[in-house]
Each structure stands twice: as C-alpha cells, then as structure tokens.
Amino acid sequence: AAFDTILFFLFGKVLSGYDANDVRQAAKDTLSYLFAYLSDPLFFMVQHIPGTTASKVRQKRNAAWKVYDSLVQDEIVQMIREANKEVPRDTERLPGSILESWFACEPKFSNRGLGPILAEVRGMVIAGFETTAHALAYSFGMMAENKTLAAELHDVAKKALHSGGGDMQAAMEQSAIVTNFFMEALRLYPLAPMLQGVCTDDIVLTFEDKQYNLPKGTNCLFFQLCH
C-alpha cells in the first residue's frame, strides 16, 4: 500500500505488476547501502574491492535499483513523450503528479536524459518509505499511549476487514474512525514542517469575511506546525 501511494504521487496513476516482497527487499537493501556509505568513512573506496562486505552491500544496492527501474522506466518514457506532445496524455493519469509537474515546469529536468530521472525517482521512492515509517511510528505511538482507543481501532478495523472480504483497501474505506485517526496523527505530527506548491488554477480564499485572490501560478507555502 505504501509503495502504491508513492507511485501514485509520482505518476498520477496506479502502477501494477510488481512483487511487494521484491520492492520491500529493494528498499531495505538501498537503505542498508545508504547507512553504510554515511557511517563508514572508508566505504566509498572499499565497496569497489571484490569479496568485501562493502562490495556485497553495493551489489545488493545495484540489484535493488534494477527492481525499481524495471517498474518505472516505461512509465517515465511515456510521461516524457506526453510532455513533448508526441503521444496523447494517458487517460488514467490524474493531474498534479510530481513528475508531470517537473516535466511541465522544469524543461532541463527531462533534457538530462533517462538515467538522472531514474535516479530522482529512486530517491523519491526511498523518501516515500521513510515518510511512511514516520507516519506509522507516531500513529502506533499514539495508540500505545491510549489503550482504549487502540482496542476500539482494532475492533473496528477487524470488522471492516471481515465485511470487505479480505480487501484491505475496501476495509480502510469503510473504517471512518481508522481513517480519521491516521489523519489526526498526521495533523499532530506532520511529515514535513512546510510544503511548497504552485496554484494550478485561480483560487479565492475566504477568511473572516475577507477574500484573498491567488492567481494561477502563485507560489505558496503551507505551514503545518500549528495544531
């Protein structure tokens, strides 16, 4: 589910045909490489010596990158062609995805070639896993502090999962209290202190009987530290 969410934000559509276990292992191996690289000052040299532990960690990272690239490369090529008006826009792709915005607003991004774009996507995927871990950690921490709420969430989710025929997504959609709980956890412990965005349409905001006009293209900062 976490990987589906990451891909949806990147591409604006759901990508299928991957093995969840392969993706989890790829994320683990990539993070292990990153940890070794940052924690061992000699790793960047030793990793090139065959037979060493560092070399094996690097080999696992390379295999992990192949897993990611095999999943997203064709979709990236498709989006580049869409951005260049070479092919019609995929009807399943919803507007506002990260890559679509980059292709539209940063011409140099697509001009760098497929390799650097794949590297950016790998980074976003790993960041997405870390972000998901952040959200889950604080959510479970809140449940640990409130045993009564945790028991109620467990009962509601269990009943919803049973009525959904084992479909986890359907169960979550039916469990308003579970959804609201996670949304409240995100409100209390935001994934980022602030986010930047650009208005894709003209927007009129009303606050205390006053109207504020934000023309299309306005750069906005959304602060998430107040609760």
Side-chain angles (χ1 to χ4, degrees):
F3 191 60
D4 283 341
T5 302
I6 298 166
L7 293 180
F8 182 81
F9 277 111
L10 282 170
F11 298 102
K13 61 180 288 190
V14 176
L15 303 185
S16 58
Y18 66 86
D19 187 300
N21 291 325
D22 289 344
V23 170
R24 280 192 290 267
Q25 187 61 47
K28 181 179 179 180
D29 291 340
T30 302
L31 290 172
S32 295
Y33 174 86
L34 181 61
F35 176 78
Y37 190 92
L38 295 176
S39 61
D40 184 351
L42 298 178
F43 181 85
F44 76 99
M45 292 189 300
V46 180
Q47 65 175 319
H48 299 290
I49 302 176
T52 61
T53 299
S55 175
K56 295 176 182 178
V57 171
R58 182 170 181 266
Q59 290 173 6
K60 290 183 178 180
R61 182 214 65 178
N62 291 343
W65 285 6
K66 289 181 179 179
V67 171
Y68 292 140
D69 293 353
S70 66
L71 295 175
V72 303
Q73 181 168 321
D74 290 345
E75 195 66 31
I76 292 174
V77 172
Q78 170 69 16
M79 294 191 72
I80 292 175
R81 298 186 67 193
E82 291 176 12
N84 293 334
K85 309 299 183 183
E86 297 175 5
V87 295
R89 191 173 186 276
D90 190 331
T91 56
E92 296 183 358
R93 194 184 318 285
L94 297 180
S97 68
I98 294 174
L99 285 180
E100 188 175 52
S101 298
W102 283 351
F103 287 138
C105 302
E106 300 289 344
K108 293 182 179 180
F109 180 73
S110 57
N111 293 337
R112 294 188 300 169
L114 184 59
I117 296 175
L118 283 169
E120 291 282 0
V121 170
R122 294 187 209 116
M124 294 295 291
V125 168
I126 294 302
F129 273 104
E130 189 278 333
T131 301
T132 303
H134 169 106
L136 291 177
Y138 279 103
S139 298
F140 284 114
M142 290 173 62
M143 284 190 279
E145 294 177 349
N146 192 325
K147 303 292 186 179
T148 302
L149 175 62
E152 182 180 358
L153 289 168
H154 176 266
D155 290 340
V156 171
K158 186 176 180 180
K159 291 178 182 178
L161 184 60
H162 178 73
S163 63
D167 187 331
M168 183 63 70
Q169 181 174 347
M172 288 298 294
E173 292 175 350
Q174 295 176 31
S175 303
I177 185 173
V178 175
T179 301
N180 292 339
F181 166 75
F182 281 110
M183 294 299 290
E184 178 66 2
L186 292 175
R187 185 186 72 83
L188 292 173
Y189 306 101
L191 303 177
M194 66 179 180
L195 294 173
Q196 182 180 7
V198 179
C199 295
T200 57
D201 295 293
D202 295 335
I203 298 175
V204 178
L205 299 178
T206 301
F207 179 72
E208 294 183 349
D209 297 328
K210 294 183 179 179
Q211 288 191 339
Y212 301 87
N213 297 312
L214 301 179
K216 180 179 179 180
T218 300
N219 288 305
C220 301
L221 284 177
F222 303 91
F223 292 91
Q224 304 183 82
L225 293 178
C226 301
H227 53 72

